[in-house]
């Protein structure tokens, strides 16, 4: 029910007095109401639930996670921990 | 998809699992609050990958599961009335009422339609001025801004043929109900990341302090959940009980303020029955007096409803983390996603449906 996914804003327009946007979810375009993100611009990523953008995705925070993981993987490589391949099957969805 | 697939990297998952293994010294029980998290945990087999000392308990965060039977029966009664276009999110259609579900009402000729956004229901009301459009407004705080905006928009457009059955529920009172139960087993929570996206996490700070439980606002992808577990385990092992934010790319401490303002403009806090659990004080939302005209439950006369739950169903105990789905004698036998006895088997986010789908039947 609380499923929400990130999409990139490709167009902003108005409908029935409400700010709306067209968002790109990896190639699928769908509309969402942008009323709760007055600061949003074309090119931003928003997290969308039930047809409403509920947060502006903080790309700096996401990048910080990526940087931490890169460091974790680098250290694991140095320590000789085998990665990719062996662990692949364990975490992939079961369907 | 950007900002989604990166959070499923198997190498990083493995390294998080090693960190969890290194951090844990004693057995701990951690509850993931949201049904979406339960679904991901089952889908990716996360419980099996964790050290044996960590048990994940599945929380009540499935609005479809906790909507009281009486409200489902009322929805079914209203949906069957002539002239009504009944609208709902798709997962409510198969929730069993006392006698039937909304899907059956549709099969019997009722005009029941699935909408993606509550604004679609408002649009239907604009396009069908001679019909009554009713929207079943279920959900936690994540969905409340969308459902509130539908009422606000209907008022702005001067629509008199739109109304809502408001079945909104709130997370923090449910956590307190779980923690104050004498049967409570929960030692830490992964709070629902999208509820916190809307509401922030400041409202969990008094709960963490009062009950001495760590609460980690956590996302929905495998790496989010593993990092959430790691943060909770470290707190438990170090004797800390703080609110931490794992889902930093979406959650801010005070949430989305304009969404919160709209929720409190349209809705007010009310006591609410939770299916399988009972009444929890101040745990639901109803319409503010200024928007009372949009209340479908007063607009439509519905005869007194006598509800009847299947006796065998243990969904209430499952929703509070006391029992797991396979503990139920009906699980996978009389109760399956095709013929559910309780709501936890209906919704894809219900713990019973998630177990049935990803774990198969107990041997």
């Amino acid at each position: 029910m609380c499923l929400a996914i990130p999409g990139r804003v490709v167009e902003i327009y108005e409908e029935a007095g409400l700010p709306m946007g067209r968002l790109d979810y990896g190639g699928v375009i769908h509309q969402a109401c942008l009323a709760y993100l007055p600061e949003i611009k074309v090119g931003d990523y928003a997290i969308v639930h039930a047809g409403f953008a509920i947060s502006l995705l903080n790309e700096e925070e996401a990048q910080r996670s990526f940087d931490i993981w890169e460091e974790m993987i680098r250290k694991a490589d140095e320590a000789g921990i085998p990665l990719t391949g062996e662990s692949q099957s364990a975490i992939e969805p079961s369907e | 998809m950007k900002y989604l697939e990166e959070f499923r990297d198997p190498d990083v998952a493995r390294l998080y699992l090693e960190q969890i293994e290194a951090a844990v010294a004693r057995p701990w029980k951690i509850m993931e609050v949201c049904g979406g998290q339960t679904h991901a945990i089952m889908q990716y087999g996360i419980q099996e990958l964790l050290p044996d000392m960590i048990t994940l308990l599945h929380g009540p965060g499935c609005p479809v599961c906790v909507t009281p039977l009486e409200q489902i029966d009322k929805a079914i009664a209203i949906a069957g009335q002539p002239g009504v276009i009944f609208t709902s999110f798709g997962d409510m259609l198969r929730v069993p009422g006392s006698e039937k579900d909304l899907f059956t009402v549709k099969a019997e000729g009722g005009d029941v339609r699935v909408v993606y956004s509550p604004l679609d229901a408002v649009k239907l009301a604009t396009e069908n001025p001679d019909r009554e459009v009713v929207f079943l407004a279920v959900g936690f705080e994540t969905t409340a801004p969308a459902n509130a905006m539908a009422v606000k928009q209907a008022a702005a457009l001067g629509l008199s043929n739109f109304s809502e059955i408001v079945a909104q529920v709130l997370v923090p009172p449910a956590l307190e109900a779980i923690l104050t139960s004498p049967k409570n087993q929960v030692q830490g929570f992964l709070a629902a990341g999208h509820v916190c996206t809307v509401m922030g996490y400041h409202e969990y700070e008094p709960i963490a302090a009062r009950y001495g439980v760590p609460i980690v606002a956590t996302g929905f992808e495998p790496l989010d959940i593993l990092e959430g577990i790691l943060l909770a385990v470290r707190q438990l092992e170090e004797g800390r009980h703080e609110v931490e934010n794992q889902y930093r790319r979406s959650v801010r401490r005070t949430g989305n303020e304009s969404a919160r303002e709209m929720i409190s403009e349209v809705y007010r806090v009310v006591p609410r029955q939770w299916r399988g659990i009972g009444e929890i004080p101040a745990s639901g939302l109803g319409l503010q007096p200024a928007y009372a005209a949009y209340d479908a439950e007063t607009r439509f006369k519905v005869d007194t409803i006598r509800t009847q739950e299947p006796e065998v169903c243990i969904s209430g105990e499952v929703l509070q983390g006391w029992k797991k789905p396979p503990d139920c004698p009906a699980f996978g036998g009389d109760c399956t996603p095709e013929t559910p006895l309780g709501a936890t088997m209906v919704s894809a986010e219900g713990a019973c449906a998630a177990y049935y789908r990803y774990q198969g039947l107990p041997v």
Side-chain angles (χ1 to χ4, degrees):
Chain A
M1 175 62 102
C2 289
L3 182 72
I5 51 167
R8 192 172 59 87
V9 179
V10 293
E11 187 192 341
I12 295 175
Y13 59 98
E14 202 184 280
E15 190 180 303
L18 290 174
M20 303 290 290
R22 282 158 53 79
L23 282 88
D24 180 350
Y25 305 93
V28 179
I29 308 282
H30 218 298
Q31 68 166 27
C33 181
L34 304 179
Y36 295 125
L37 298 178
E39 71 279 30
I40 201 163
K41 318 179 293 298
V42 168
D44 286 344
Y45 280 81
I47 293 183
V48 177
H49 168 76
F52 281 76
I54 53 171
S55 77
L56 198 59
L57 190 136
N58 187 331
E59 296 189 59
E60 275 174 36
E61 282 292 353
Q63 189 56 49
R64 200 172 301 175
S65 295
F66 302 155
D67 293 346
I68 290 169
W69 299 342
E70 211 169 290
E71 180 66 12
M72 276 162 62
I73 287 177
R74 196 186 57 77
K75 280 188 183 159
D77 271 343
E78 280 176 14
I81 296 168
L83 292 172
T84 311
E86 285 189 15
S87 60
Q88 205 98 35
S89 61
I91 195 75
E92 276 190 348
S94 58
E95 58 158 40
Chain B
M1 234 157 81
K2 199 173 176 193
Y3 296 122
L4 209 57
E5 266 129 42
E6 300 93 327
F7 296 87
R8 298 173 181 168
D9 185 291
D11 286 341
V12 181
R14 172 158 181 195
L15 295 173
Y16 270 135
L17 284 162
E18 285 188 4
Q19 292 187 21
I20 293 169
E21 188 95 43
V24 70
R26 285 167 287 167
W28 299 110
K29 289 186 174 173
I30 298 168
M31 174 176 274
E32 83 279 0
V33 171
C34 176
Q37 294 167 328
T38 305
H39 189 87
I41 285 164
M42 297 307 296
Q43 182 179 8
Y44 293 95
I46 289 173
Q47 174 73 72
E48 282 69 38
L49 297 171
L50 289 172
D52 291 342
M53 277 190 281
I54 300 172
T55 306
L56 295 178
L57 303 174
H58 317 306
C62 163
V64 174
C65 304
V66 301
T67 301
L69 187 53
E70 193 184 348
Q71 247 173 340
I72 305 277
D73 284 347
K74 266 189 198 165
I76 288 166
I78 293 170
Q81 293 192 14
V84 166
I85 300 176
F86 195 90
T87 56
S88 164
F89 295 128
D91 38 5
M92 289 307 290
L93 261 59
R94 290 186 53 250
V95 179
S98 292
E99 286 169 19
K100 54 184 169 186
D101 55 23
L102 284 164
F103 216 64
T104 311
V105 177
K106 188 176 167 69
E108 290 169 353
D111 194 346
V112 178
R113 304 189 195 183
V114 170
V115 291
Y116 159 72
S117 161
L119 289 180
D120 298 340
V122 177
K123 206 171 176 185
L124 277 172
T126 314
E127 292 164 355
N128 297 275
D130 53 335
R131 306 276 301 275
E132 280 287 336
V133 176
V134 181
F135 177 65
L136 179 49
V138 295
F140 278 92
E141 293 93 326
T142 315
T143 319
N147 295 350
M149 184 65 85
V151 173
K152 177 83 177 164
Q153 182 68 353
L157 298 173
L159 296 174
S160 57
N161 63 329
F162 175 84
S163 59
E164 283 189 351
I165 297 175
V166 183
Q168 294 285 152
V169 277
L170 302 172
V171 168
L175 300 194
E176 292 210 66
I178 288 170
L179 290 168
T180 50
S181 162
K183 291 195 206 169
N184 174 49
Q185 301 179 20
V186 179
Q187 294 167 297
F189 284 108
L190 306 185
H194 290 138
V195 167
C196 295
T197 294
V198 170
M199 301 302 290
Y201 53 83
H202 61 294
E203 57 183 358
Y204 297 95
E205 288 162 358
I207 299 177
R210 189 174 314 140
Y211 299 97
V213 286
I215 301 178
V216 183
T218 303
F220 298 82
E221 295 305 320
L223 297 189
D224 291 322
I225 292 169
L226 289 170
E227 190 186 7
I229 292 168
L230 176 63
L231 294 174
V233 166
R234 281 187 180 152
Q235 284 205 44
L236 288 162
E237 290 290 347
E238 292 164 17
R240 289 183 292 125
H241 40 80
E242 295 157 15
V243 177
E244 275 183 287
N245 182 12
Q246 179 281 323
Y247 199 30
R248 295 173 300 276
R249 66 188 181 280
S250 181
V251 174
R252 291 140 188 93
R253 183 171 178 272
T254 50
N256 181 324
E257 274 151 15
S258 70
R260 282 172 48 207
E261 276 167 26
M262 182 64 76
I263 296 173
S264 30
E265 183 185 334
V266 173
Y267 298 128
R268 65 198 168 98
V269 175
V270 295
R272 173 71 64 198
Q273 287 283 335
W274 292 55
R275 190 173 192 170
I277 298 176
E279 184 172 308
I280 304 177
S283 68
L285 297 174
L287 287 158
Q288 289 280 13
Y291 293 97
Y294 299 93
D295 188 348
E297 294 185 55
T298 50
R299 186 176 298 195
F300 294 90
K301 271 267 169 268
V302 176
D303 291 338
T304 314
I305 283 171
R306 196 172 295 160
T307 57
Q308 202 178 346
E309 288 275 14
E311 275 174 29
V312 65
C313 180
I314 62 161
S315 63
E317 290 162 278
V318 172
L319 288 166
Q320 293 169 89
W322 302 342
K323 286 191 175 170
K324 296 236 172 181
D327 296 333
C328 177
F331 177 79
D334 290 341
C335 185
T336 66
E338 285 71 41
T339 54
L341 292 178
T344 42
M345 188 56 103
V346 175
S347 168
E349 294 177 350
C352 296
Y355 268 69
Y356 187 87
R357 184 159 174 205
Y358 295 114
Q359 193 164 283
L361 295 171
V363 187

